[in-house]
Amino acid sequence: MELRGWASFPDALPSFDTDAAPAAPHELFAAWLTEAGAQMLAPHAVVLSTVDAGGAPDARVVILKDVDAAGFYVASSAESPKGQQLAKEPRAALTFFWPGLGRQVRVRGAVTACSPKVSAADFRARSEDSRTEGMVGRQSEPLAAEDDLVRAAAEARARVSADPELVPESWRRYLLAPESVEFWQASHDRRHVRLRYEREAGGWRRQRLWP
Ligand SMILES: Cc1cc2nc3c(=O)[nH]c(=O)nc-3n(C[C@H](O)[C@H](O)[C@H](O)COP(=O)(O)O)c2cc1C
């Protein structure tokens, strides 16, 4: 396949004044996310990378549920492969890519499960379809026949409709507390601008990186 001709970024790219970057990474992240949201679908879709019991990496797209000074929040079933991986090795990476702005953000850090109350609130805030899917469970298990899914989904739908407050015990909102957050701004001359925040006692150290 000839892929060389495909463009990665638009002709006009934002500049990135790293000297003006805020002291805490979540503030810059919120600004970049807002700009991405103004011009593309699913700016909050993010690759979540984990490590399995054998030390092999695994990755999948999830939705960022929130971000604040404590870190980045995602949600899933604790029984899913990613949930099991996080239970055994509670460290992860998040990778955001916003091609329309030529931007990437990389986050690494420790992951903890939020309280049952916070996880339940996350689940109850989901749409009925989404709660039904969550109630079906068995995420990533082999599916032998479509009928099995149709039956399980119908049963789950009936339970969710009868009790909108229902929350599966396995539902988790997770917090990734960043140790490092890197902001990458593409430049057509390939002198991409990179700024990494690293956690240090009482705050964040900011450092430019070679492209
Ligand atoms: C745009 C998008 C958003 C997704 N959001 C979530 C999510 O928030 N939580 C989740 O568990 N799976 C989400 N998924 C599905 C995951 O990518 C994945 O298929 C599923 O969680 C099973 O992953 P696992 O086997 O590694 O646990 C999303 C997929 C896409 C494409």
Side-chain angles (χ1 to χ4, degrees):
M1 251 183 120
E2 181 49 59
L3 310 180
R4 196 171 286 275
W6 286 350
S8 300
F9 307 120
D11 289 342
L13 287 168
S15 57
F16 180 17
D17 178 2
T18 55
D19 290 335
H26 73 279
E27 293 172 25
L28 182 54
F29 179 83
W32 278 28
L33 180 64
T34 303
E35 288 176 49
Q39 61 138 270
M40 71 190 71
L41 287 173
H44 56 342
V46 57
V47 177
L48 167 69
S49 301
T50 50
V51 173
D52 74 12
D58 202 355
R60 78 292 289 155
V61 174
V62 296
I63 291 293
L64 181 74
K65 307 302 289 284
D66 201 359
V67 60
D68 62 20
F72 296 75
Y73 299 85
V74 297
S76 192
S77 164
E79 291 168 356
S80 68
K82 76 181 87 48
Q84 295 179 36
Q85 290 163 5
L86 286 170
K88 205 164 174 75
E89 180 53 73
R91 292 185 294 173
L94 295 172
T95 311
F96 296 86
F97 175 45
W98 299 309
L101 291 160
R103 286 174 172 172
Q104 172 185 231
V105 177
R106 300 167 59 183
V107 184
R108 304 176 75 201
V111 177
T112 49
C114 297
S115 69
K117 197 171 159 204
V118 168
S119 294
D122 179 284
F123 190 81
R124 291 192 181 114
R126 297 162 71 89
S127 68
E128 188 168 320
D129 282 342
S130 172
R131 279 181 285 126
T132 299
E133 184 215 10
M135 195 56 69
V136 167
R138 304 185 62 175
Q139 193 173 55
S140 301
E141 286 182 25
L143 175 64
E146 181 70 17
D147 274 358
D148 296 345
L149 174 57
V150 171
R151 212 173 308 115
E155 282 168 19
R157 168 75 64 179
R159 293 178 64 202
V160 164
S161 302
D163 181 3
E165 296 296 296
L166 205 57
V167 177
E169 190 282 322
S170 60
W171 192 256
R172 298 285 182 283
R173 181 180 274 222
Y174 293 100
L175 166 63
L176 191 160
E179 284 300 322
S180 71
V181 185
E182 185 208 316
F183 295 84
W184 186 100
Q185 173 64 64
S187 172
H188 284 299
D189 63 9
R190 303 299 194 270
R191 277 164 45 193
H192 311 305
V193 182
R194 302 176 63 189
L195 181 69
R196 186 166 64 203
Y197 289 74
E198 282 179 292
R199 196 184 286 279
E200 61 179 13
W204 293 94
R205 185 162 67 101
R206 274 172 289 172
Q207 202 167 40
R208 285 282 307 271
L209 303 176
W210 285 68

